[in-house]
Amino acid sequence: MSSEVGERSAVIAEAFPPFVRKENVRMRSFTSWVILPILSGLLLTSAENRIDDYQPQHVHIVIGETSKDMVITWTTFTDTPSSVVEYGNAGLTQTATGSSTQFTDGGTEHRNLWMHRVILKDLQPDTMYFYHCGSQLGWSELFVFKTWKNGTDWPVSVAMYGDMGAVNAQSLPRLQEEVQRGMYDAVIHVGDFAYNMDSDNARVGDEFMRQIQPIAAYVPYLTCPGNHEQMYNFSNYRARFSMPNHEDTENLFFSWNMGPVHFIAVNTEAYYFLEYGLKPLSRQYDWLIKDLEEATKPEVRAERPWIILFGHRPMYCSNNDHDDCTRVNCLTRVGLPLVNLYAMEELLQKYGVDLAVWAHEHSYERLWPMYNYTVLNGSTEAPYTNPRAPVHITTGSAGCDENHDHFMPAQPDWSAFRAIDYGYTRVKIFNKTHMYWEQCRFSLRQNGSSSSEAALDGAPATGTPNVVLMSSMARSGSSFLGGLLSSLPGVFYFFEPLHNIEHWHMLSPATARDGLRGLLTCNITGAIRKAVRTRGKYTVYHPYTRRCATKEACFNSLLDETCRKEKFRVVKTIRARVSWLTSLLDDPEVDLRIIHLVRDPRGSVISNWKADWAPISEATSCQNLLSDLRDGARLRRQRPGKFLTVRYEDLCLDPRLMAEVILSFLGYSKLPQPTATYLDKQTKTTRDTKTYSLKRDTKSQQQKWRTTITDEEFARIEKACAASILLLGFNLFGSVEAARNLSLPLYNSSADHRAFDHRFCLRE
Ligand SMILES: [Fe+2]
């Protein structure tokens, strides 16, 4: 969207209730303040009270009035005489006290919970703080958080998602992992929690809050309400969180500043639960205009140009479930029926909101910049550079017991990308001009249940694309991965028939490309047929060639016929260049996906030197690897969904997960049984491994080179390959001693790991 501060570009990879009397949320009475401390010692010894009742649970944090303050919130099941946080950046040297609020759930049991809130004030910016919370009757474990930087010139990184339940929270372990690795400055939950927080007399809410503690106790956890929170006038939601300005708006709408971004949370439910009155809606609407007026004052926007608004229900979607967003006159977009009051879309357009993030639909959808059903791209070539309208994104697929929502078969022109799978969104606002957006997606179900849109073996119901599995260098694990692909039902697998593809390419680029095309379309002719025949049955892994006894008879036209009968072809090749294969991606007859397997050259080059081959030059190898990584990054942008880069190290660390990532890329919804069996056989062995053996304990192979590399090898390779090592997201060690110190991490936590999304989707 155009702005006074210059060009901004987004790169995209992928009822408010009345401010009620507190009938459910009562402040702790004076009596309890006085009496409870006296009784607490007695209570501890009482048979009716367990120590658990005083134990802090559901710990979560959020910024206060400004990012200098942090509000620590937790729950106990019995009130405690005090609410205390001990904290500090070098030990628990400071103490802050707060208060507790009694919350009575609206269910039949009227369960009581006590919500404790303590504000840590005047914290140092960009500083790590340790803390624990509780009282003399019980303390939480030790947690840590890092305060945000001051000012507007720092890159902001947040995760955003909606619709995460206490059951089937597919994104939860990944988010726990990523948060504790320090990937995010905040996490934003765009409504619909627990399913539902009020269920089972609020015990489901308790369970959900326990589940998110490994996230929410470490980074600010920001929220807005969804329809699943509406029970008892949103009381569970209002009571459990402590968003900025919660004293006034009870977590329903608010805004905050973060680096170069102004974030706004709105309550879309105010448009739908009108039984709670119109006042919540009118109050929010007036507040929103005021907030946007302030955020768009020229001097303010020059300093903080990005505006990201989020709320639960989308204004647009192409799902087929008849939700309000499927209707042209969606309430949040055009306002209440007949009177058209409180229409939000015109505010988004008028004040130049950059991003509008929604959830509610259990799917992912990104729109072109649009207003009033009109696409207003920045330009044809760069639609998200200076777009002329807000960009809407729906990210409601974090995982809940309602599984997925499906799409209408025809994708509307205004919808740029959509996906039915589980996942969450990573947003990085690098500076005042550039934002990056990506969806971390994972399609396969952990429980192995079948998917209604997939065939029984998990394969796509409508065909499977052909695959070229390529590695920039030999000794990168391509035989293991090729074997895994060849275990898929219906595959015709070619194992390096173009063994010296670089020679073919030197002869003529067209020869190498046409050779591969011939294999992928089962038109094996001329020199390629000769090459396949010469290397015999070792080039084709298929029951046909296993059965076929006579060489000549095997490699005639029957080979083509058999090849065509299968669902798809896989061709493994090494030492090909990414640039040689690009044109094949545009060939409709080939329908190709490319899997590019890469490995830390400090492992692959040494392995190559140790194999019985002519040693390769580390400089040439790494130059090729570097150009392939760069070409691969370009292809992922230009042809999304057609090119996947896989790190050998990730494959070693979690073969099962990586197999799921790769099969998901090919459209599978689960691992077919033969592939699961292959994985088990190949990876669960304690036997030592010979150079060409596939059977190995893969975890032990991941960084094995670090224990065996010599001084000379290390110096040569790290020097020649520094750029490619860094691009792979690995650390340079600088010395062989450091390399051998396995306590130093291989993965560089500050590197850009976008090419290797799955690295951060590892399960615990
Ligand atoms: Fe919802």
Side-chain angles (χ1 to χ4, degrees), residues 439-496:
Q439 183 74 357
C440 181
R441 297 166 52 205
F442 29 94
S443 295
L444 303 181
R445 294 171 187 218
Q446 292 177 17
N447 58 13
S449 61
S450 64
S451 167
S452 59
E453 64 274 21
L456 277 179
D457 62 359
T462 52
T464 307
N466 294 316
V467 181
V468 166
L469 165 63
M470 60 159 294
S471 54
S472 299
M473 295 185 195
R475 313 302 301 159
S476 296
S478 61
S479 295
F480 169 69
L481 193 49
L484 186 139
L485 293 169
S486 76
S487 70
L488 293 168
V491 67
F492 202 85
Y493 178 44
F494 293 102
F495 181 95
E496 298 182 19

Side-chain angles (χ1 to χ4, degrees), residues 594-598 629 632 636 643-647 755-756 758:
I594 296 174
I595 299 171
H596 180 208
L597 185 62
V598 291
L629 284 167
R636 278 192 305 279
F643 189 94
L644 178 72
T645 309
V646 174
R647 279 187 300 215
F756 315 103
H758 42 76

Side-chain angles (χ1 to χ4, degrees), residues 61-67 69 71 148 220-223 241-257 263 265 287:
I61 66 173
V62 75
I63 53 156
E65 238 175 84
T66 72
S67 60
D69 300 345
V71 184
W148 297 343
Y221 197 89
L222 292 129
T223 61
F241 291 104
S242 309
M243 294 303 113
N245 201 26
H246 75 277
E247 298 88 347
D248 185 25
T249 62
E250 293 189 300
N251 311 321
L252 296 166
F253 59 83
F254 53 93
S255 65
W256 77 95
N257 294 323
F263 280 96
W287 168 85

